[in-house]
Amino acid sequence: MMKNIKGSLILLIAALIWGTAFVAQTSGSEVVPPFTFNASRSFIGALFLFFCSKLLFIGKNKSVRSDGVNSMADDSSSGWPIKGGILCGLVLFFAMGFQQFGIGLYPEGVAVSGRSGFLTATYVVMVALYSQIVAKKISPLIIVSVTGVITGMYLLCMSAGFSEIYVGDVLEFMCAICFTLHILVIDKFSVCDSVKLSCIQFLTCGIMSFAVAVISETIVPEDILNAIGPIMFAGVMSSGVAYTLQMVGQKYAKPAVASIVMSLESVFSVLAGWIILNERLTSRELTGCIIVFAAVIISQISCGFDETEK
């Protein structure tokens, strides 16, 4: 029970950071092209995590010495999960690419942070649906949840019918699909050292993003300096801290509880956009957000029932 609470608190902090990061990404997209932004934040995140891994290693050595055990201990037992980190990084590259590119394509007057945050949160329903399909049993609650997501996304993304759907909406939905894959890949490597796994995934994501940026964008160092605040927040807090907290939190919290807590990212994104960027959602869009969030909760209640039955 205590482990589950510990995992939930860790994931709550991650969700808060991610939700606030949508504001940083929105601000950064006005100055820096998407792949340049993602490369910058990923390299900063990887560097931050590399130093964190070294500090943790030093701390472990000090603990070993104080216990009078062999002071020549090293971190070879945990090692660097190269394969897992690269796979996570490749999936994350596509997820972050769709997300940042989509954010930059929204027109003026759209509540970008809240809208993209809620569309991204639909990955929670996709994870639940995947789990049901693998178990070869789809519960009625999952059907209700999927119906709710479709209804909510229609209200959120098509306020004036199909003519009002934005390219950014499509890309954010593609981002949600990629984050679904990301969670499933992370689950396969949950036994690995979280900090090292996250470090490698961001190094991989940074290299991929930089390669695309060199080919398709004009990299202007001055623009990067002008957006250094959003880049640093996204790099250190969102990439370095939050994604690592996700990996740590998933070790302790049950999957159903973990997904519910992480879905609160969408709520925090709306609140952050409202408080910091003065973004506003129409009553129709707000209704869509509420329905999507309710669908997320319902999908996790279904997963909770399944775990209880087991």
Side-chain angles (χ1 to χ4, degrees):
M1 181 66 178
M2 290 303 297
K3 284 186 176 181
N4 197 49
I5 294 175
K6 178 181 178 180
S8 296
L9 291 175
I10 291 172
L11 292 170
L12 180 64
I13 297 172
L16 175 60
I17 295 172
W18 281 331
T20 309
F22 276 102
V23 174
Q25 291 174 246
T26 301
S27 301
S29 68
E30 298 173 356
V31 183
V32 180
F35 289 103
T36 301
F37 184 91
N38 282 345
S40 302
R41 67 175 284 191
S42 295
F43 285 136
I44 289 173
L47 186 62
F48 172 78
L49 290 167
F50 176 77
F51 283 116
C52 285
S53 70
K54 291 303 178 184
L55 289 174
L56 289 173
F57 174 57
I58 293 173
K60 288 179 181 178
N61 268 352
K62 287 183 178 179
S63 177
V64 168
R65 292 190 187 97
S66 66
D67 292 338
V69 186
N70 184 9
S71 62
M72 296 301 290
D74 56 40
D75 61 355
S76 59
S77 59
S78 56
W80 285 85
I82 304 296
K83 179 182 177 181
I86 291 176
L87 287 175
C88 289
L90 288 174
V91 178
L92 188 62
F93 160 74
F94 286 102
M96 288 174 56
F98 281 127
Q99 186 180 70
Q100 191 63 26
F101 201 67
I103 287 175
L105 290 180
Y106 279 109
E108 291 290 334
V110 175
V112 178
S113 297
R115 194 180 184 103
S116 57
F118 269 92
L119 286 172
T120 300
T122 58
Y123 76 85
V124 182
V125 175
M126 296 180 198
V127 171
L129 183 60
Y130 172 82
S131 300
Q132 297 279 315
I133 293 174
V134 169
K136 297 181 180 179
K137 181 182 69 173
I138 300 180
S139 72
L141 284 179
I142 284 295
I143 296 175
V144 172
S145 179
V146 171
T147 302
V149 168
I150 294 172
T151 303
M153 286 179 61
Y154 177 82
L155 294 174
L156 178 62
C157 304
M158 304 179 204
S159 57
F162 286 97
S163 62
E164 278 297 315
I165 187 170
Y166 303 114
V167 175
D169 293 331
V170 177
L171 294 178
E172 295 305 318
F173 186 68
M174 293 296 295
C175 159
I177 294 175
C178 290
F179 273 125
T180 299
L181 295 175
H182 187 244
I183 287 177
L184 297 176
V185 172
I186 286 178
D187 187 60
K188 295 293 183 181
F189 297 96
S190 59
V191 296
C192 298
D193 184 290
S194 299
V195 175
K196 292 178 179 179
L197 182 67
S198 194
C199 179
I200 296 172
Q201 83 163 347
F202 280 108
L203 179 60
T204 302
C205 183
I207 293 172
M208 295 286 291
S209 298
F210 180 73
V212 176
V214 170
I215 296 171
S216 63
E217 299 174 350
T218 301
I219 302 176
V220 182
E222 185 179 351
D223 289 343
I224 296 176
L225 290 175
N226 289 335
I228 195 63
I231 289 174
M232 287 297 294
F233 184 88
V236 174
M237 297 303 296
S238 180
S239 298
V241 176
Y243 278 100
T244 304
L245 288 177
Q246 175 197 355
M247 293 178 176
V248 175
Q250 283 187 235
K251 293 175 186 278
Y252 298 105
K254 293 180 180 179
V257 177
S259 295
I260 289 176
V261 176
M262 286 191 291
S263 71
L264 292 175
E265 166 193 357
S266 59
V267 177
F268 292 134
S269 70
V270 171
L271 292 175
W274 172 54
I275 294 172
I276 301 173
L277 298 180
N278 198 34
E279 292 182 346
R280 293 290 185 270
L281 291 172
T282 66
S283 57
R284 181 188 175 102
E285 290 173 331
L286 185 59
T287 301
C289 287
I290 293 172
I291 292 175
V292 169
F293 186 66
V296 167
I297 300 299
I298 291 172
S299 72
Q300 298 314 307
I301 291 175
S302 174
C303 290
F305 285 155
D306 289 343
E307 288 183 3
T308 301
E309 291 175 0
K310 292 177 183 178

